[in-house]
Amino acid sequence: MGLDHDLDFDEVDTPPLEVADDSERLTIDIDGWEGPLDLLLTLARTQKVDLRQISILQLVEQYLSFIENARALKLELAADYLVMAAWLAYLKSALLLPKDPTIDPSPEELALRLQLRLERLNAMRESGARLMARDRIGRDIFLRGLPEGLRVVRTTAWDVNYFELISAYGQIQARNAPVMHVVKRRAVMTLEEALERVSAMLGQILNWTQLEAFLPIGAEPALRRSALASSFLAMLELAKQGRVELQQETSFAPLMVKARQGAGA
Amino acid sequence: MIEHDPSVRAVEATLFASDSPMTMEQIRAYVGEDVDVADALSKLEQQYQGRGIELVKRGKTWHFQTAADLAHLLRREREESRKLSRAAVETLAIIAYHEPVSRAEIEAIRGVQISKGTLDVLMEAGWVRPAGRREVPGRPLVYATTVEFLTHFGLATRRDLPGIADLKAAGLLDPVDLALEGLQGLSAVESGDLPEGGDVELEIGDESA
Amino acid sequence: MIEHDPSVRAVEATLFASDSPMTMEQIRAYVGEDVDVADALSKLEQQYQGRGIELVKRGKTWHFQTAADLAHLLRREREESRKLSRAAVETLAIIAYHEPVSRAEIEAIRGVQISKGTLDVLMEAGWVRPAGRREVPGRPLVYATTVEFLTHFGLATRRDLPGIADLKAAGLLDPVDLALEGLQGLSAVESGDLPEGGDVELEIGDESA
């Protein structure tokens, strides 16, 4: 981490410090830096080319002395610079004091973190500069200014086969053919049919029998519904004629039918 | 690698990058006073002779352009297959069976109006052509099929088109919904129940008058 | 006058006429199947070596451009005056080298808030675009670079970013926490009691985002 404490400060030639040392000036421009990290990086770069070798302690002292100078000259120094200064002052004292294993995180780790951040910011700053220094299209390098352009002319191949052609004609003909409407017979059982059917069946039925037993077996639902209604009416008619007896225990209970003794036979 | 004349290179790059033809003065403003622009241009002109691009002088301005004999490369044709619309297929079929036939007649047979685009598509495809006018009031244009039409559908003559009786036998006179079912289930022919009356003749009136 | 190879001429004309870089397949679609495009391109590359214009391959696409050493002649003064601010350059670099990256992550690296204008300038230039959201609490928007960015800086892919491989190898593209863990993992055996999971962050500036 390069926390060597005895590097000679005076060897370090820093433009920012020159500004700071220039007591003739009434203001120190901290707007030249984009925040405390930027200032720290500038200070760090004056130490060594390789940020991995910088002395954090030395860096901290440079920052604090810079801020101290700047504060004396410019009272409204931005708050984040002062926050950083306070934090670095703490870091400095922690680094100088005998090691206390109970302090978590250790000052060494804090220092390492600061160093890592500076390395990362520096890497991006250098990458940005390298990016900008590239030969850029539209600035250094030019594409053809007046390209004729390439064109794709689309032609359509219509897709239709012989079968589609003649079947289309067939369908026109079919459309134009006169249409005969046939109304389909609905499956119904008329009252007359029901009367006939029920009368015929009554002879074989001696006990009370449910009305549904008189319906045709295996009929379609539509026919069955019609037969039920017709057969019911037929039963009522037969009851009126005195040929059958009807019985129902409650509403909607099965309707029971029985031939009247000696009536129809 | 050949060592190229710096003046020629400078003029070459300047003309290449410019978005409009340039006069010698305009070129000079870029390449500097100590370049002999006229000399560089004449060298360039020579160097590009016979290449895919050429240096061209028009009036007082210079520019690069694609060699004239390669212009055809810059226009690429791409054929796209597209399904002919139902209206177009029906219209084509009617023209084929009834030609020469007027637009009004086509509409009378189809039972619906046809849009202008439908006939245009068929003519663009090269299958249909205008075939004179009918000498009735209004002198409507009549349409007929072309040789390309016959070629496309593999027909020797229009007489090869199946007659109404053939269509009926093939189940092609089924009403549309049945025919569609038939295409799906291939059962239209067996299903029997075809409506009678396939022998109804088309009444084509002249409705254009 | 030299007789030029028709294949070379055709490829040359096509690339000159195109208003964007082309792949070999795209070129082939114009010049036809019977042209050996690869061979023509390598001949062209040779023929243009040292000229004011050069044939350049970037990734899979080819295009002509002015020679880099002529930049001083052609540089557009007006473009230069709209120089990017340092904040914008750094932000662009961070997005390019770390993408996709959120605003908070950019700010963590730079140690300051980025003003709204900075990202706007980069997006307006067409170099940066929003690239979805990160699925973490707050779902922050993340940013990435565009194809125009690569083109403008003459890069075929992001792998061509200057020094990106070295930065990656040195761990300089990893977040501080990750790098710290790595360093501690190496040295923990000797020093014994380094705290794990260093969640203490430097409070620098206002990282409210």
Side-chain angles (χ1 to χ4, degrees), chain B residues 2 5 14-15 31 37 40 46 48 66 75 77 83 89 94 144 178 193 195:
Chain B
I2 313 151
D5 179 344
T14 304
L15 271 182
V31 298
V37 177
Q46 249 183 333
Y48 275 94
T66 308
R75 258 177 104 255
E77 302 240 332
K83 200 98 187 121
V89 179
I94 292 168
L178 261 183
D193 238 17

Side-chain angles (χ1 to χ4, degrees), chain A residues 202-246:
Chain A
L202 267 179
Q204 290 127 46
I205 302 224
L206 301 173
N207 297 321
W208 287 104
T209 307
Q210 210 172 313
L211 173 63
E212 280 80 359
F214 293 87
L215 302 184
I217 293 159
E220 282 176 24
L223 176 61
R224 193 177 160 82
R225 261 201 315 281
S226 165
L228 180 64
S230 306
S231 301
F232 174 62
L233 284 175
M235 289 301 180
L236 290 180
E237 178 61 27
L238 291 174
K240 196 170 133 197
Q241 293 171 13
R243 292 172 60 194
V244 297
E245 286 179 68
L246 298 176

